[in-house]
Amino acid sequence: MTTRTDTHFAPVDQDLYAKAFQLLDPTPEPVAPAVPAAPAPGPAVLAAPPVHRPGVVERTLTDALAFLDTHGWAKHRLIHPEGARCSIGALRAAAGARNAAYRDAGNLLLDEARHQHGKQWESIPSWNDSHTGAQVRSVWEAAIQRAHHSNI
């Protein structure tokens, strides 16, 4: 078997190619020497803001205030027949037992009550029974903020 390797191509005219490229790009810009490019920045890592995880005291105070909002606030009794509670009753309901969260949340609440209404208050029930609902709520909200900022 014989294989032909002669392709009979026409010879390349280099001047013709040069003229064709000049017609396509009549004023070529000078080529600057290659400058190493700055490294491409890596993927931007955006730091997410820290997620606040309420501490046990903040959670207990928040749950107790939500309990008061839902069931009502009472004076002169731990639990009203219709379900409303005084501040100490709401703390007990939120904590579920007389545990460390209950004790620490109660101490913070009483400390805030003394801060807002004077040092004479010996207990949460005596303070609760001597003030209006708006005054009591103000103390609850301030105590929750203190717990939040203290991360407790």
Side-chain angles (χ1 to χ4, degrees), residues 28-39:
E29 295 190 20
V31 177
V35 176

Side-chain angles (χ1 to χ4, degrees), residues 64-135:
L65 183 58
F67 186 94
L68 291 174
D69 288 342
T70 303
H71 299 286
W73 171 71
K75 281 184 169 188
H76 307 295
R77 52 180 17 162
L78 187 64
I79 303 172
H80 190 273
E82 294 175 8
R85 293 188 180 213
C86 71
S87 291
I88 200 76
L91 269 176
R92 287 181 186 170
R98 291 185 185 181
N99 54 25
Y102 167 79
R103 182 194 67 240
D104 294 343
N107 286 337
L108 183 61
L109 184 67
L110 184 57
D111 186 60
E112 185 59 36
R114 290 174 177 159
H115 176 74
Q116 287 189 30
H117 300 286
K119 302 283 184 200
Q120 73 272 17
W121 303 108
E122 298 284 324
S123 67
I124 292 172
S126 64
W127 160 77
N128 180 85
D129 295 346
S130 301
H131 292 85
T132 67
Q135 291 170 321

